[in-house]
Amino acid sequence: MMGAVRRPTEKVRTGAVAMTRSEATARSNVNVALVKYWGKRDPELNLPATGSISITLDGLSIDARVAFAATDEDRFEIDEAPAAGEERTRLARFVDLLRQESGRREPVSVVTRSHVPRGVGLASSAAAFAALAVAGSQAAGLHLDPPALSALARRGSGSAARSIFGGFVEWHRGERADGADSIAEPLLDATAWSDVRVVVAVTTTAPKSVSSRDGMARAAASPLYPAWVAGAEADLAEARAAIRARDLEALGQLAEHSALKMHAIGLAARPPLLYWRGATVDCIHRVWALRADGVPAWITIDAGPQVKALCTANDAPRVAEALGAVPGVVRVITCAPGIGAEVVA
């Protein structure tokens, strides 16, 4: 697609460099996949094995400031502490990509501030790299359209491709080897189905023992994985239809089914992959009990122990109260559909 970000060794054909702009700050919300992304066809370019559909969540965000020529050497800071380990490596790679695409060579300062727990299964990396794509391209003088921003964000974290947009979003698997067609696009903006809520039950704030990246690699060897890939297109088509019809029951049933399939893949892997905690299972049963009592709510769980319940705005207080009463739940957050990534300074 025109404007898409290409491999670092290739010359960008769209987007002019404006050297006068050297600093920008952007904010992006997390997203939760309703039809899950799990597995890659190209790990280097973060190209997914299947497409996915998500909802961007209001109130769980990350701010990112990128400044060229602000320091004598590259500087990476996360929540007022120097970035270290794998987090620093990923930020450095992303900065190198910005340099390659823009032609700029100055040292870069990257500062992020989190308004969501990091590394616990709440898609913080999606919000971080979407914000970095918007701020970094702006600071570097790259004039990228939304599809190109989505492709750039994807290079930092696959699901970040979706957080460029608000509301309901589809990320396409794509077919091209260079990833130019593996981009996200909005299906329904945040105001078009404003009655939807996602109630998040945080069962722990401890970091995950297995990252999403490593978990995907392990799950790809699961005997259940081929069936997951084979069923993806049918799930995507069903989700699109439910979103177009504003059919929460159909979408909720599919989201729950997709999440349970994803985690079943990990359970069947060798060694097994289990992100859940006891409180995770108890939250699932609590939502199912609510549904049996006539409260329409459905669960979804990403690569982590946190449970998200899809419901209406009217039912959200009752769902939040029920999940908050589960032993082991440390926090409950209710989110409306959120907007996409944007420049804030």
Side-chain angles (χ1 to χ4, degrees):
M1 176 168 292
M2 184 176 180
V5 175
R6 305 181 187 280
R7 289 180 182 267
T9 55
E10 295 177 337
K11 185 177 181 181
V12 175
R13 298 178 183 176
T14 62
V17 176
M19 298 295 287
T20 56
R21 176 100 185 198
S22 62
E23 179 176 334
T25 301
R27 176 174 299 145
S28 178
N29 289 311
V30 307
N31 70 80
V32 57
L34 304 174
V35 177
K36 299 298 186 187
Y37 147 56
W38 196 236
K40 301 178 182 182
R41 63 183 176 92
D42 185 328
E44 180 185 350
L45 296 178
N46 280 340
L47 301 181
T50 67
S52 58
I53 290 176
S54 65
I55 179 172
T56 302
L57 303 182
D58 182 47
L60 296 176
S61 64
I62 289 184
D63 294 348
R65 180 176 67 84
V66 179
F68 280 81
T71 58
D72 293 333
E73 60 182 9
D74 287 347
R75 173 173 171 262
F76 305 104
E77 179 183 304
I78 301 175
D79 294 335
E80 301 183 344
E86 179 62 21
E87 286 184 315
R88 190 187 194 285
T89 299
R90 292 176 71 183
L91 290 173
R93 287 173 180 165
F94 197 75
V95 163
D96 287 342
L97 179 61
L98 285 172
R99 288 196 183 102
Q100 187 69 37
E101 300 298 340
S102 67
R104 300 190 69 156
R105 296 292 178 264
E106 308 98 308
V108 176
S109 169
V110 173
V111 178
T112 67
R113 294 289 182 269
S114 306
H115 307 286
V116 56
R118 300 187 350 256
V120 300
L122 288 177
S124 59
S125 64
F129 281 100
L132 284 167
V134 172
S137 61
Q138 189 90 334
L142 288 168
H143 301 294
L144 302 179
D145 60 14
L149 284 171
S150 178
L152 176 60
R154 187 201 75 228
R155 296 292 299 273
S157 172
S159 54
R162 299 187 303 244
S163 276
I164 292 295
F165 304 100
F168 293 86
V169 180
E170 179 170 2
W171 175 22
H172 299 286
R173 174 190 185 276
E175 300 297 332
R176 292 179 50 161
D178 66 0
D181 56 350
S182 183
I183 57 172
E185 65 172 342
L187 296 175
L188 207 61
D189 69 35
T191 61
W193 195 3
S194 59
D195 186 48
V196 174
R197 293 293 182 271
V198 175
V199 179
V200 182
V202 180
T203 61
T204 178
T205 56
K208 296 185 295 188
S209 59
V210 179
S211 69
S212 297
R213 185 181 299 259
D214 292 341
M216 287 186 199
R218 187 184 301 182
S222 169
L224 303 184
Y225 191 74
W228 164 267
V229 175
E233 288 303 319
D235 286 351
L236 291 167
E238 188 177 339
R240 287 188 215 106
I243 291 168
R244 283 195 300 266
R246 316 295 202 273
D247 187 339
L248 187 61
E249 181 175 1
L251 185 61
Q253 288 178 352
L254 179 65
E256 192 168 283
H257 181 57
S258 179
L260 294 176
K261 284 194 296 183
M262 185 192 104
H263 286 276
I265 293 168
L267 287 171
R270 289 187 175 181
L273 179 64
L274 179 61
Y275 286 108
W276 297 358
R277 292 176 175 253
T280 307
V281 177
D282 290 341
C283 284
I284 294 171
H285 284 289
R286 186 62 57 92
V287 171
W288 288 351
L290 283 171
R291 205 158 71 221
D293 286 341
V295 179
W298 297 266
I299 63 99
T300 185
I301 310 170
D302 288 321
Q306 325 304 0
V307 177
K308 296 94 172 177
L310 191 68
C311 61
T312 66
N314 187 56
D315 290 321
R318 183 172 175 184
V319 174
E321 181 181 11
L323 290 176
V326 173
V329 171
V330 298
R331 183 182 178 191
V332 175
I333 310 163
T334 299
C335 301
I339 63 172
E342 59 180 353
V343 174
V344 294

